[in-house]
């Protein structure tokens, strides 16, 4: 990733979303050449010289102090995630010293953990959202049309971001796909700033930019947000509407790996649907995960009747 260029693009995108009146500056009318704040207006708000800010926006100053970056974050009204992203972009050398490289596989103890979570869909993801492992219910929830053993083969390893934008089966899981797409791009932007020297992450971003106009449009807006918890709404092909809470639990000393787990409100319709999906996984023939099984064979059990309508948001 071209970090200096990314820094300039990020700063310009955040200047563009603010008007002088938003930050207490007087605008004297007349046509403005650029949307949002001018460089000199932002420099004034942050208490730095226009020349220094210009060098920073052009990627020519790699030693910005915490005080300067904090002042810019306040002036631009950045969120905590955006503030962290600014620091990573402004000082890529420091960000690169973080453990950007991930282990090739999930740890045995982590695999054991998600295997024990039989009633909870769970996956192990790395920093670039490759699936390193999933339990049977996690596989059935998110990608039952794929071979259950795919995470064990690096060349075929699923990536949740790639699936969301390029796999029509996964796209159909989300009634509000546009919302999920915005959330996914926001979290990928944050990961790119944290791991600027990750070649495979840069290649993933390049692939999605080339193959998905929707991803390219969202990426150009520079959204930044860490999505470690919240609610996801599905319309699953086997059990219909599901509204599930999710948590991403980061694993220490793992190069950015995390466990993504889903749960339903007890005694809700989604809880019943999740139990129905778990039952179909438990009764699926063992051959369903064998190498060479057809996609139809890999579907976890017969499909019950679909629930009607879209789930409540």
């Amino acid at each position: 990733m071209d970090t200096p260029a990314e820094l300039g693009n990020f700063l310009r995108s955040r200047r563009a979303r603010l008007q002088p009146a938003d930050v207490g500056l007087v605008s004297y009318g007349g046509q403005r050449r650029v949307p949002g704040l001018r460089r000199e207006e932002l420099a004034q708000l942050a208490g730095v010289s226009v020349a220094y800010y210009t060098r920073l926006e052009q990627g020519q100053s790699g030693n910005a102090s915490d005080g300067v970056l904090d002042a810019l974050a306040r002036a631009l009204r950045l969120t905590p995630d955006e503030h962290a992203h600014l620091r990573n972009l402004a000082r890529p050398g420091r960000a690169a010293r973080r453990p950007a490289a991930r282990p090739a596989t999930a740890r045995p103890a982590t695999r054991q953990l998600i295997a024990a979570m039989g009633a909870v869909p769970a996956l192990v993801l790395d920093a670039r959202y490759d699936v390193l492992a999933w339990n049977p219910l996690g596989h059935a929830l998110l990608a039952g049309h794929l071979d259950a053993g795919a995470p064990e083969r690096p060349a075929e390893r699923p990536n949740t971001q790639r699936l969301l934008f390029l796999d029509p089966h996964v796209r159909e899981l989300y009634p509000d796909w546009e919302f999920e797409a915005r959330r996914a791009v926001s979290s990928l932007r944050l990961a790119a700033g944290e791991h600027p020297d990750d070649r495979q992450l840069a290649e993933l971003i390049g692939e999605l930019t080339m193959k998905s106009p929707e991803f390219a449009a969202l990426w150009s807006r520079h959204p930044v947000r860490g999505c470690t918890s919240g609610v996801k709404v599905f319309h699953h092909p086997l059990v219909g509407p599901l509204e599930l809470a999710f948590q991403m639990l980061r694993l220490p000393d793992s190069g950015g790996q995390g466990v993504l787990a889903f749960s339903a409100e007890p005694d809700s319709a989604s809880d019943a649907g999740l139990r129905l999906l778990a039952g179909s996984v438990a009764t699926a023939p063992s051959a369903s995960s064998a190498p060479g099984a057809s996609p139809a064979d890999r579907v976890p059990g017969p499909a019950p009747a679909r629930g009607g309508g879209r789930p409540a948001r």
Side-chain angles (χ1 to χ4, degrees):
M1 184 175 67
D2 186 351
T3 305
E6 289 293 323
L7 173 61
N9 291 335
F10 178 69
L11 288 170
R12 283 188 288 273
S13 74
R14 292 320 185 256
R15 281 200 291 119
R17 72 182 185 183
L18 292 175
Q19 296 300 319
D22 297 333
V23 293
L25 295 178
V26 176
S27 177
Y28 294 100
Q31 187 172 1
R32 299 172 69 88
R33 291 181 300 169
V34 296
L37 295 178
R38 297 187 177 105
R39 285 176 176 172
E40 56 268 26
E41 292 169 334
L42 178 55
Q44 175 187 340
L45 289 169
V48 300
S49 71
V50 177
Y52 178 81
Y53 175 75
T54 300
R55 290 197 303 272
L56 185 64
E57 192 172 282
Q58 293 175 346
Q60 298 174 3
S61 178
N63 59 348
S65 68
D66 287 343
V68 167
L69 297 177
D70 292 347
L72 286 171
R74 287 192 297 270
L76 290 168
R77 301 189 176 183
L78 301 185
T79 67
D81 286 335
E82 290 172 332
H83 191 172
H85 188 62
L86 172 64
R87 289 193 178 204
N88 288 333
L89 294 179
R91 297 184 300 202
R94 300 187 188 188
R97 287 198 291 269
R98 299 177 185 179
R102 63 162 178 80
T105 59
R107 293 168 175 168
T110 307
R111 293 172 176 274
Q112 180 176 306
L113 173 65
I114 65 169
M117 299 163 65
V120 175
L123 305 84
V124 183
L125 303 176
D126 69 5
R128 65 182 71 99
Y129 298 93
D130 284 347
V131 179
L132 305 183
W134 48 26
N135 64 11
L137 192 52
H139 168 238
L141 174 66
L142 295 180
H145 62 294
L146 299 182
D147 185 353
E152 308 304 322
R153 300 184 292 273
E156 302 175 30
R157 188 165 282 161
N159 178 280
T160 59
Q161 303 275 17
R162 184 182 288 111
L163 291 175
L164 181 65
F165 284 94
L166 303 182
D167 188 312
H169 298 287
V170 174
R171 184 173 183 136
E172 290 175 357
L173 279 176
Y174 299 101
D176 192 352
W177 181 88
E178 290 79 7
F179 174 77
E180 287 298 325
R182 290 193 299 271
R183 185 154 61 178
V185 173
S186 297
S187 58
L188 192 61
R189 267 283 179 196
L190 195 59
E194 292 172 347
H195 304 283
D197 290 344
D198 189 321
R199 180 179 56 83
Q200 289 177 279
L201 179 57
E203 290 173 351
L204 171 66
I205 294 166
E207 176 191 359
L208 293 176
T209 301
M210 293 295 294
K211 294 182 179 180
S212 171
E214 293 151 316
F215 178 90
L218 288 169
W219 187 257
S220 69
R221 299 174 194 168
H222 292 262
V224 177
R225 183 186 173 200
C227 302
T228 57
S229 64
V231 174
K232 287 185 182 287
V233 178
F234 302 90
H235 197 288
H236 196 274
L238 298 183
V239 299
L242 294 170
E243 185 171 318
L244 304 178
F246 72 90
Q247 291 279 342
M248 172 66 86
L249 309 173
R250 291 297 178 186
L251 303 174
D253 303 321
S254 65
Q257 289 185 18
V259 173
L260 176 62
F262 298 86
S263 63
E265 185 74 23
D267 300 321
S268 65
S270 294
D271 184 37
L274 200 56
R275 285 188 278 108
L276 186 61
L277 184 60
S280 72
V281 170
T283 58
S286 59
S288 63
S289 59
S294 70
D297 293 334
R298 289 196 291 269
V299 174
R306 273 184 155 185
R310 286 177 56 154
R313 294 306 306 268

